[in-house]
């Protein structure tokens, strides 16, 4: 066995901690990343195909916002807690595979829906399945990569959403333009079922805490549900990271779920143009932002833990003027030019918050802690963001019938200010704690 292979924690925990990252870890990361791509692609298809779905099922902006927001998030957020608790006590890879199978089957059901009620039930089931996707993956990655490489590893893993969104835009819009919006759901769901079966055979369950300095053979006690819950909700650091991420996601999901509809209905963009140009902006912008944020977190947190809050705060400050210019732009090509900057800058929070939570908790609490982070930021952002924008658009329709979505998107700017304030507060708390530890 080569040295690099020996450094990877296998199911028996034979890997000595502190060594380099081996081939098996990268294979696991790649497999989990592909599942995440499908996770986000399934989730984004609704917003990408909003216009043809609206035309087919005769639904309003408010109803569309509920489908992509509250209805989805009710299951996605709250089911993640028991799933996280279960995965912390059982085989995380199998939990992930079952979850992938459920959300993929539900995606197929979305394509078969013939009414708003059927589509709503299918979307809720997608949310139920996707609740078991990300938290186990965070913890598996944390047990495959040592602490000083986790920021980059999680940054690479978090490229799943932008790649999934870009593929969803390109694939979904192309299929809808050539065939039907239903066909896009059917194909993506079928691919997900195959991936759910494959991941069980490709990814091995790593030893919990194998790269955190625990001695080989150490058996960790199973974390109690109440113990982990109390730890999370009494930690100012974890709460501030969660609320800051939630405020940011209120913007990203509020915008993301209506961007395609906004560009087509109010900027004159065609579905074929969406498949190419909007896909490029989302794919390149989000990917670059998430990758660069992982690098920045690894680099700057070595000097000061305050970087966990400062990096996302500064990125959001820079994003505000470009976001306003995007909403204002009179044509879709100019709008896409301005959108590139906030698409890059809006996602610096993700790698920062995920890496911080994984570093703050014990190895046997990582899945549930990741689930709690997702619960808070996704219920605020995913659950309320699209719901709010859809309702606001319907309210503004009376006074601005041709630009109701534009007015609704302008009202997201105060949430930038809120998120910035929360991340600066997080940086201050981390700074104070570091000074206290030095004194002690």
């Amino acid at each position: 066995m080569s040295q690099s292979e020996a450094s990877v924690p296998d199911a028996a925990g034979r890997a000595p901690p502190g060594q380099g990252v081996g081939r098996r870890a990268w294979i696991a990361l790649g497999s989990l990343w592909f599942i995440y791509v499908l996770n986000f692609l399934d989730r984004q298809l609704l917003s990408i195909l909003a216009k043809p779905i609206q035309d087919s099922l005769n639904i309003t902006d408010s109803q569309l916002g509920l489908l992509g927001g509250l209805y989805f998030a009710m299951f996605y957020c709250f089911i993640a807690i028991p799933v996280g608790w279960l995965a912390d006590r059982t085989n995380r890879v199998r939990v992930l595979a079952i979850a992938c199978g459920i959300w993929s089957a539900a995606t197929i059901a979305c394509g078969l829906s013939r009414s708003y009620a059927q589509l709503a039930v299918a979307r809720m089931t997608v949310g139920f399945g996707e609740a078991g996707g990300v938290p186990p993956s965070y913890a598996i990655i944390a047990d495959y990569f040592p602490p000083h490489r986790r920021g980059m590893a999680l940054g690479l893993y978090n490229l799943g959403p932008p790649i999934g969104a870009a593929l969803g835009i390109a694939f979904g819009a192309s299929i809808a333009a050539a065939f039907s919006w239903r066909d896009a759901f059917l194909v993506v769901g079928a691919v997900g079922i195959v991936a759910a079966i494959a991941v069980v055979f490709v990814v091995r369950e790593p030893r919990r805490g194998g790269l955190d300095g625990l001695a080989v053979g150490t058996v960790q006690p199973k974390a109690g549900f109440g113990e982990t819950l109390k730890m999370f909700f009494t930690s100012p650091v974890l709460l501030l990271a969660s609320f800051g991420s939630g405020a940011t996601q209120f913007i990203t999901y509020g915008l993301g779920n209506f961007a395609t509809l906004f560009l087509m209905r109010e900027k004159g963009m065609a579905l074929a143009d969406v498949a190419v140009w909007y896909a490029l902006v989302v794919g390149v912008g989000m990917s670059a932002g998430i990758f660069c944020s992982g690098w920045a977190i690894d680099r700057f947190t070595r000097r000061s833990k305050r970087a966990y809050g400062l990096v996302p705060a500064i990125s959001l400050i820079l994003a505000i003027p470009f976001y306003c210019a995007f909403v204002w732009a009179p044509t879709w090509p100019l709008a896409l030019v301005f959108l590139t900057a906030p698409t890059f800058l809006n996602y610096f929070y993700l790698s920062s918050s995920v890496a911080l939570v994984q570093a703050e908790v014990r190895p046997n609490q990582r899945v549930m802690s990741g689930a709690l982070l997702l619960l808070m930021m996704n219920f605020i952002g995913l659950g309320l963001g699209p719901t709010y924008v859809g309702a606001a658009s319907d309210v503004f329709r009376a006074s601005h019938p041709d630009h109701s979505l534009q007015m609704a998107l302008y009202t997201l700017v105060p949430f930038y200010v809120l998120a910035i304030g929360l991340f600066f507060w997080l940086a201050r708390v981390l700074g104070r704690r570091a000074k206290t530890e030095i004194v002690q």
Side-chain angles (χ1 to χ4, degrees):
M1 181 183 295
S2 68
Q3 183 177 356
S4 65
E5 289 176 321
S7 67
V8 179
D10 62 16
R14 291 186 288 270
Q19 295 188 8
V21 177
R23 178 169 52 89
R24 189 178 298 159
W26 293 110
I27 292 174
L29 179 61
S31 301
L32 297 176
W33 173 83
F34 181 73
I35 296 291
Y36 200 10
V37 168
L38 292 176
N39 179 302
F40 213 81
L41 200 163
D42 288 4
R43 190 184 315 174
Q44 291 297 103
L45 275 181
L46 180 72
S47 60
I48 295 160
L49 302 175
K51 188 66 166 60
I53 291 173
Q54 273 194 328
D55 294 341
S56 175
L57 300 181
N58 297 315
I59 60 179
T60 66
D61 287 355
S62 294
Q63 290 176 315
L64 189 65
L66 286 168
L67 284 175
L70 191 60
Y71 291 163
F72 180 92
M74 281 192 302
F75 286 85
Y76 180 75
C77 295
F78 292 102
I79 296 299
I81 304 305
V83 168
W85 176 81
L86 176 66
D88 269 330
R89 304 170 69 88
T90 59
N91 187 294
R92 294 166 292 185
V93 175
R94 291 177 185 171
V95 170
L96 173 64
I98 292 170
C100 182
I102 292 172
W103 87 59
S104 298
T107 298
I108 293 175
C110 288
L112 298 175
S113 299
R114 297 296 172 179
S115 68
Y116 179 75
Q118 291 176 356
L119 184 57
V121 171
R123 286 294 294 174
M124 291 177 187
T125 309
V126 171
F128 177 88
E130 289 193 7
V134 179
S137 298
Y138 282 159
I140 293 168
I141 292 169
D143 283 333
Y144 265 111
F145 289 83
H148 67 282
R149 300 294 297 276
R150 282 178 193 152
M152 181 60 73
L154 289 168
L156 290 171
Y157 173 72
N158 284 324
L159 290 176
I163 300 300
L167 288 176
I169 295 165
F171 172 80
S174 298
I175 292 295
F179 302 100
S180 166
W181 63 269
R182 299 180 185 279
D183 295 322
F185 283 97
L186 298 178
V187 173
V188 172
V191 172
I193 290 175
V194 174
I197 297 171
V199 73
V200 177
F201 299 97
V202 175
V203 179
R204 295 187 182 183
E205 176 76 5
R207 185 169 70 91
R208 287 173 168 84
L211 297 177
D212 289 278
L214 298 180
V216 176
T218 298
V219 178
Q220 293 191 65
K222 297 184 185 298
F225 183 88
E227 175 193 3
T228 304
L229 204 65
K230 180 179 178 182
M231 176 277 302
F232 193 97
F233 285 104
T234 57
S235 169
V237 168
L238 299 182
L239 288 177
L240 285 170
S242 300
F243 282 121
S245 299
T248 308
Q249 283 202 350
F250 194 97
I251 302 161
T252 58
Y253 277 114
L255 169 63
N257 275 39
F258 283 94
T260 303
L261 186 60
F262 175 59
L263 288 167
M264 292 180 66
R265 195 167 75 191
E266 299 190 16
K267 304 292 185 184
M269 200 172 188
L271 202 56
D273 294 321
V274 170
V276 178
W277 301 112
Y278 181 54
L280 283 174
V281 169
V282 171
V284 174
M286 285 180 65
S287 298
I290 291 173
F291 181 81
C292 290
S293 67
W295 171 85
I297 291 302
D298 278 347
R299 178 180 176 85
F300 294 114
T301 53
R302 293 174 188 173
R303 303 177 186 177
S304 171
K305 299 301 181 184
R306 296 174 68 238
Y308 283 117
L310 292 176
V311 168
I314 293 170
S315 71
L316 292 174
I317 290 173
L318 296 174
I320 291 176
F322 292 100
Y323 172 78
C324 292
F326 157 72
V327 179
W328 161 85
T331 63
W332 69 259
L334 184 60
L336 288 183
V337 171
F338 287 127
L339 181 61
T340 303
T343 302
F344 172 76
L345 294 165
N346 281 352
Y347 293 91
F348 271 60
Y349 78 95
L350 189 56
S351 296
S352 176
S353 294
V354 170
L356 176 59
V357 169
Q358 295 296 308
E360 285 285 306
V361 305
R362 299 200 310 265
N364 62 347
Q365 294 177 316
R366 280 181 175 148
V367 180
M368 186 172 167
S369 296
L372 288 167
L373 171 67
L374 291 174
L375 164 65
M376 294 188 65
M377 68 182 189
N378 283 323
F379 184 75
I380 296 169
L382 176 59
L384 303 181
T387 304
Y388 165 79
V389 172
S393 177
D394 281 348
V395 169
F396 282 116
R397 189 175 297 278
S399 57
H400 298 78
D402 297 326
H403 300 285
S404 61
L405 267 176
Q406 182 183 52
M407 299 305 297
L409 292 176
Y410 272 131
T411 65
L412 290 178
V413 174
F415 292 93
Y416 269 107
V417 179
L418 175 61
I420 291 165
L422 288 167
F423 280 121
F424 274 130
W425 190 358
L426 172 62
R428 185 179 181 185
V429 170
L430 290 169
R432 285 181 174 178
R433 190 176 69 177
K435 290 180 180 178
T436 303
E437 291 172 351
I438 291 173
V439 171
Q440 292 176 346

